């Protein structure tokens, strides 16, 4: 059996660290997450919320509370994607977890699209005037 090289592990824990396996998202899940984030940002009617710390923290906590279980089910084993995951992860570890999700699932797409656009720009030559 050949394992996906995008599978990563992170260590989480309040008192004792334990290793958790994080799987890459399917394209379908990536699109769902993109829609969730887009809809959350669009739903902010008062953009001044993003300009103050309390409003931003409130928005982030609300988003995590509402969507975390669905997102965790996309990337963790079933036994990990229950309420205990959030009970056993610190804020700093959660930030590392989110960075890992972005690194595995969205950075390659971003880099590939950027490279493709650059190649396209090079091939399109301006018409002499």
């Amino acid at each position: 059996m050949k394992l996906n090289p995008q599978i990563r592990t992170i260590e989480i824990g309040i008192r004792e660290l334990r290793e958790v396996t994080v799987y890459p998202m399917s394209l379908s899940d990536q699109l769902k997450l993109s829609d969730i984030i887009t809809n959350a940002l669009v739903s902010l009617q008062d953009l001044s919320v993003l300009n103050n710390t309390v409003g931003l923290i409130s928005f982030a906590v609300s988003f995590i509370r509402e969507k975390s279980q669905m997102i965790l089910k996309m990337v963790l084993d079933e036994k990990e994607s229950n309420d205990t995951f959030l009970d056993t992860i610190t804020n700093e570890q959660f930030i590392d977890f989110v960075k890992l999700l972005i690194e595995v699932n969205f950075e390659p797409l971003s880099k590939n699209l950027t490279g493709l656009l650059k190649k396209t720009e090079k091939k399109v030559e301006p018409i002499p005037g």
Side-chain angles (χ1 to χ4, degrees), residues 108-122:
L109 176 63
S110 174
K111 288 177 183 177
N112 288 338
L113 285 176
T114 301
L116 183 61
L117 289 174
K118 286 181 181 178
K119 285 182 181 180
T120 303
E121 288 173 359
K122 289 178 184 177

Side-chain angles (χ1 to χ4, degrees), residues 22-106:
V22 181
Y23 298 97
M25 290 180 182
S26 68
L27 178 57
S28 175
D29 285 344
Q30 287 180 359
L31 294 173
K32 286 176 194 170
L33 182 58
S34 295
D35 287 345
I36 289 168
I37 292 170
T38 300
N39 290 335
L41 293 175
V42 167
S43 70
L44 287 175
Q45 294 178 7
D46 182 9
L47 292 179
S48 65
V49 169
L50 295 175
N51 293 328
N52 72 65
T53 304
V54 174
L56 186 56
I57 290 171
S58 175
F59 170 76
V61 168
S62 174
F63 180 80
I64 291 167
R65 187 173 287 135
E66 291 175 18
K67 304 298 181 184
S68 63
Q69 288 306 308
M70 185 179 72
I71 295 168
L72 293 176
K73 286 179 182 177
M74 293 177 181
V75 297
L76 299 176
D77 285 324
E78 190 174 326
K79 66 180 179 161
E80 292 292 349
S81 63
N82 56 30
D83 292 332
T84 60
F85 182 82
L86 294 180
D87 290 339
T88 60
I89 191 168
T90 65
N91 285 333
E92 189 174 328
Q93 292 166 351
F94 185 75
I95 290 168
D96 291 340
F97 174 72
V98 171
K99 286 179 185 176
L100 179 66
L101 292 182
I102 292 168
E103 178 185 311
V104 169
N105 294 289
F106 296 100

